[in-house]
Amino acid sequence: MTAQLNSDPSARPSTRPTARPHRRGRASGGCDPAGRRPRHPRAVCDGTARVTGATGPARHDAGALAARFAHQLVEVLTGARPSGQLMRHTSLDGYGQLASLVRAGALRRGGPADRPRLGPVHDRSPSPDAVEACVRVDLGRRHHMVAFRLEQRGPAGQWQCTAVEAR
């Protein structure tokens, strides 16, 4: 009887964990198991992420674009991020203004524990290829205003900051 139990493969307990087969294909065109497509980091800036307006042609979501850039800009002005990281997202004049604001210490922290808090970003689009925005920044007991202008430039239509002001 023991010879019969040892010869039957289904009767023996398995000590190895069962391995799942490796999938090489993509589910629903993306690499996420939920079926979502991965977002390219520059999708917002290069013109591929567009929102269709109710009035017809596709346009950028100016509010989301301004909010993301405001967050990065405040990090540079407070010293939490090096200004070189925004070099590719600014024009030559815009980068010169940004560098002079950083050197002057336009948004100095009151102490090491003071973290900048951004208020709501107010934006407007004077033209389809430009966005002007401002944001209130609270640093401890001090309050600052940062204003900037983003324009679509170049053959790829990348958004670049062309002017920065902080008070």
Side-chain angles (χ1 to χ4, degrees):
M1 179 116 168
T2 57
Q4 276 184 336
L5 287 177
N6 289 340
S7 65
D8 186 15
S10 63
R12 280 186 265 157
S14 175
T15 58
R16 292 187 331 211
T18 58
R20 293 191 297 181
H22 179 70
R23 290 187 182 173
R24 299 194 131 236
R26 293 182 180 206
S28 302
C31 61
D32 189 11
R36 296 181 303 235
R37 292 186 170 266
R39 185 175 77 87
H40 191 275
R42 283 205 243 159
V44 175
C45 298
D46 68 358
T48 59
R50 293 183 182 259
V51 177
T52 304
T55 59
R59 63 171 178 81
H60 284 278
D61 184 12
L65 179 69
R68 278 190 299 274
F69 191 78
H71 182 72
Q72 294 173 352
L73 186 61
V74 169
E75 286 180 346
V76 168
L77 291 172
T78 58
R81 175 189 293 247
S83 62
Q85 287 187 2
L86 288 184
M87 186 180 293
R88 65 193 280 177
H89 301 292
T90 57
S91 66
L92 188 60
D93 292 335
Y95 188 75
Q97 292 171 359
L98 176 62
S100 67
L101 288 171
V102 170
R103 279 192 304 270
L107 271 67
R108 290 193 182 131
R109 294 183 183 188
D114 288 341
R115 297 188 71 194
R117 289 182 300 155
L118 275 69
V121 178
H122 302 280
D123 64 279
R124 65 185 273 293
S125 294
S127 67
D129 58 348
V131 176
E132 294 175 347
C134 67
V135 63
R136 178 179 165 170
V137 181
D138 297 331
L139 279 172
R141 296 187 327 191
R142 298 191 61 151
H143 309 288
H144 303 274
M145 290 300 290
V146 176
F148 56 93
R149 179 180 172 93
L150 301 172
E151 293 181 6
Q152 249 182 337
R153 292 196 166 184
Q158 181 178 357
W159 288 94
Q160 290 187 331
C161 178
T162 58
V164 181
E165 189 174 327
R167 295 192 182 191

